Amino acid sequence: MYDGAGDDQKKVDNEGSYGYYTILAVKFTSSEQQIDRNYNTLVKFYTDKEYPKGDGQENLNKTNEAYKIIKDEKAREQYMHKLMIRCYLSQPFELIIPNKQIDKLWPFFIFEVIKEGKSASEIMQFNFSAQTLTEQKKDVRTKSYMFSNISSALYSKKDDEFIINFIENGKILSQNYKAKFQNQRDQLVKLAIFAKEIFEETKPTLEFHNPNTKQDLNLFKVQHYSIGENSKTVSSKVTNLFFDQVSTKNYFLWNDSYIPPHSLLKTSAQKLASLGQSKTVHFTIGKTQMLVSRDEDLRQIIQVIPLKKEYLAFSRDENVVQLQVLNNTRKYRFHDKQSASCFVQKLISVQNQKASANPLRTDCPVGDSLQNVVRIKKFAIQKLNAQIALYEQKVQQLKVERQQLLSEFNDLDLDKVDDDELMINKEKDQQNKQASYEPATLFKAPLK
């Protein structure tokens, strides 16, 4: 339990460190082998004698911590859960195709939807990192689909309804949904379409090479959707997957180099029931949404409320706050007046200010560590390239000199040169023979 403004602020400030993936310069979807390779490269770099000892030890400690968190399955899951919660709290009211790095979408989304024929809402979560769409009801995960199971997403006749076609056991299963908050219907359809495209872009593919024509046969094509400005015009065209210039993957952030703002307030209260029974619920207020859960860690989320005046109204009487979400009104008893007042004041401030969930740069280096390694290696390569260029220049000079000598050699009368050399060699041989016989004449016997 963490009632009271002071405790809430401590909880907010102690949300943990971020940027572990950027320290190792990996993505959420990177393989274990890639994580190991980057880690070993960084350790080797920081322990190098030429690296400054102070900075090297500090960065080495950060690298070891990041590697420990990411490689430990339980620690990584907790880290990703906290990051997802921050994404939920700063989820944009509208999906805008990003054109800059900081405008990219976080890969985690959460909504309240109502299935056809049902009265109670369910929690729908999109996880683009794991490529899963999950439906959760009454704190229990009721259904989970892979993005590969999504066939298509369509707008329905009513402004708040939509259809997602799933593939199950080789058959198409059409599921009708209703967005609890009408304006979120377009987001849900867009995200379902993005999910299908993400799967098509990342699935294993084959290319065939025709040895006769020496051309590659790209036989796999995807259905590419483009959404009009009014968010309701959906057109499709068949495009070649291997040459598609616009990739849906570029719309999302795939690491924690940028993170959403932290929660603005965390508190708890007793939900008052008509029969006098009460249950403890936990409120987490973000920049754009408020999450209501049954536990402090927000693993049992029961409500996702966009912080817009047309969706949420509230009033306070002493330590009791009445929340009206659309047409549903509920009362909550807080620990004291101060907690209730702080809760209401935070809602007022968020609703009155222009919603801004700009991402925050992580405190950890955004791949700077590995980038330094790359810079050093690039410098070494450039140095070697310069030496190679000098040697190549010297080789060219030697080639020119050799060509000049060959030209001079070709201009000579080779037959005459050979005859002159032959005569010179004969004369030398005769001289050598005469010289070898001359000493013998000195010892001739006298004539009698």
Side-chain angles (χ1 to χ4, degrees):
M1 304 291 291
Y2 44 99
D3 296 306
D7 293 338
D8 291 334
Q9 191 59 43
K10 290 180 182 178
K11 193 72 176 180
V12 168
D13 294 339
N14 192 28
E15 288 190 342
S17 301
Y18 291 87
Y20 293 132
Y21 283 85
T22 62
I23 289 176
L24 299 179
V26 294
K27 300 178 181 179
F28 298 137
T29 55
S30 294
S31 63
E32 296 293 328
Q33 293 78 6
Q34 184 63 54
I35 294 172
D36 293 338
R37 284 196 296 268
N38 285 20
Y39 171 73
N40 293 330
T41 302
L42 289 170
V43 170
K44 182 179 179 181
F45 175 67
Y46 290 136
T47 54
D48 192 274
K49 295 180 180 179
E50 298 181 359
Y51 196 89
K53 292 184 178 180
D55 295 339
Q57 187 60 45
E58 180 181 357
N59 290 329
L60 182 62
N61 294 338
K62 291 182 179 179
T63 302
N64 288 331
E65 180 186 4
Y67 184 73
K68 181 180 179 181
I69 294 295
I70 294 178
K71 291 292 289 186
D72 185 88
E73 184 176 353
K74 184 177 180 179
R76 179 173 56 187
E77 191 278 333
Q78 293 176 348
Y79 174 73
M80 292 301 296
H81 174 72
K82 292 179 180 179
L83 183 60
M84 282 190 287
I85 295 300
R86 292 180 72 153
C87 293
Y88 297 158
L89 295 172
S90 298
Q91 185 171 301
F93 294 133
E94 296 180 3
L95 289 184
I96 301 176
I97 303 303
N99 56 9
K100 295 186 298 184
Q101 175 71 15
I102 61 174
D103 291 335
K104 289 191 175 183
L105 302 171
W106 291 295
F108 312 107
F109 297 85
I110 189 170
F111 302 90
E112 275 192 76
V113 299
I114 302 173
K115 276 188 174 182
E116 185 182 30
K118 305 291 184 180
S119 57
S121 62
E122 299 181 2
I123 302 298
M124 178 176 284
Q125 297 167 292
F126 287 86
N127 186 331
F128 282 83
S129 175
Q131 294 198 12
T132 58
L133 186 157
T134 304
E135 299 172 358
Q136 186 173 337
K137 182 180 180 181
K138 293 182 179 180
D139 314 333
V140 179
R141 180 171 295 180
T142 58
K143 193 70 174 178
S144 182
Y145 299 95
M146 298 298 297
F147 285 178
S148 58
N149 297 125
I150 299 177
S151 175
S152 60
L154 306 170
Y155 293 102
S156 189
K157 293 182 179 179
K158 294 184 178 181
D159 292 338
D160 57 354
E161 295 181 353
F162 62 99
I163 302 171
I164 298 181
N165 294 320
F166 297 98
I167 303 174
E168 286 192 349
N169 300 323
K171 298 181 180 180
I172 300 296
L173 173 64
S174 294
Q175 185 64 60
N176 296 313
Y177 297 94
K178 177 181 178 180
K180 182 175 180 179
F181 303 97
Q182 179 178 328
N183 291 347
Q184 291 184 337
R185 191 277 300 262
D186 294 340
Q187 287 180 280
L188 286 159
V189 174
K190 287 181 181 179
L191 288 174
I193 293 174
F194 287 165
K196 176 63 176 177
E197 292 187 346
I198 287 290
F199 165 71
E200 293 291 350
E201 292 175 2
T202 57
K203 71 178 181 180
T205 57
L206 297 176
E207 292 186 19
F208 296 92
H209 183 74
N210 189 334
N212 297 323
T213 61
K214 297 182 179 180
Q215 292 181 351
D216 292 329
L217 303 178
N218 300 319
L219 303 181
F220 297 90
K221 299 179 183 294
V222 300
Q223 195 77 9
H224 183 79
Y225 298 89
S226 59
I227 303 175
E229 295 180 356
N230 59 3
S231 302
K232 296 182 180 180
T233 304
V234 181
S235 61
S236 64
K237 59 180 181 179
V238 177
T239 58
N240 194 308
L241 175 63
F242 299 97
F243 298 99
D244 194 2
Q245 295 181 353
V246 180
S247 173
T248 307
K249 292 186 296 182
N250 294 331
Y251 298 160
F252 296 90
L253 285 168
W254 297 107
N255 59 22
D256 49 6
S257 57
Y258 290 91
I259 57 174
H262 57 65
S263 57
L264 303 179
L265 179 69
K266 291 185 177 183
T267 188
S268 62
Q270 298 292 321
K271 177 183 176 182
L272 302 180
S274 58
L275 299 178
Q277 298 178 350
S278 60
K279 295 182 180 179
T280 301
V281 295
H282 302 267
F283 298 96
T284 306
I285 300 176
K287 298 287 287 187
T288 60
Q289 295 197 126
M290 178 172 67
L291 303 180
V292 184
S293 63
R294 298 193 187 280
D295 64 325
E296 295 184 19
D297 293 334
L298 286 86
R299 294 185 180 275
Q300 300 177 14
I301 299 173
I302 55 178
Q303 279 186 283
V304 182
I305 306 172
L307 296 178
K308 303 181 74 173
K309 294 181 179 181
E310 57 264 38
Y311 297 146
L312 175 65
F314 45 85
S315 62
R316 181 178 71 89
D317 182 13
E318 299 294 334
N319 66 328
V320 176
V321 176
Q322 178 175 286
L323 296 181
Q324 182 178 348
V325 181
L326 298 177
N327 297 323
N328 189 359
T329 302
R330 292 175 180 173
K331 292 184 178 181
Y332 302 88
R333 180 185 290 114
F334 287 77
H335 182 264
D336 51 32
K337 295 180 182 179
Q338 183 182 2
S339 299
S341 176
C342 182
F343 175 73
V344 170
Q345 291 299 322
K346 185 60 65 176
L347 290 178
I348 293 174
S349 64
V350 174
Q351 286 189 341
N352 288 339
Q353 69 181 3
K354 185 178 181 181
S356 174
N358 293 329
L360 303 177
R361 195 92 176 191
T362 56
D363 296 332
C364 305
V366 186
D368 289 345
S369 306
L370 201 60
Q371 288 177 7
N372 287 335
V373 177
V374 173
R375 291 191 195 101
I376 291 176
K377 291 185 178 298
K378 283 186 176 180
F379 178 77
I381 293 173
Q382 291 174 356
K383 187 176 180 179
L384 291 174
N385 288 338
Q387 293 179 352
I388 291 174
L390 290 176
Y391 287 128
E392 288 179 346
Q393 185 178 2
K394 183 64 176 177
V395 169
Q396 288 296 114
Q397 294 176 354
L398 294 174
K399 286 183 178 180
V400 171
E401 294 178 4
R402 185 188 66 172
Q403 190 63 36
Q404 292 177 351
L405 291 174
L406 288 175
S407 299
E408 295 175 358
F409 182 75
N410 292 332
D411 292 340
L412 297 175
D413 188 352
L414 298 181
D415 294 335
K416 183 178 179 181
V417 170
D418 293 340
D419 294 341
D420 293 343
E421 289 181 353
L422 181 62
M423 294 299 297
I424 292 173
N425 290 334
K426 288 182 178 181
E427 292 178 355
K428 287 183 177 181
D429 290 340
Q430 292 178 358
Q431 292 177 359
N432 291 335
K433 289 181 180 180
Q434 292 177 359
S436 60
Y437 288 112
E438 286 178 357
T441 58
L442 298 175
F443 299 96
K444 286 181 180 181
L447 296 174
K448 294 182 181 182

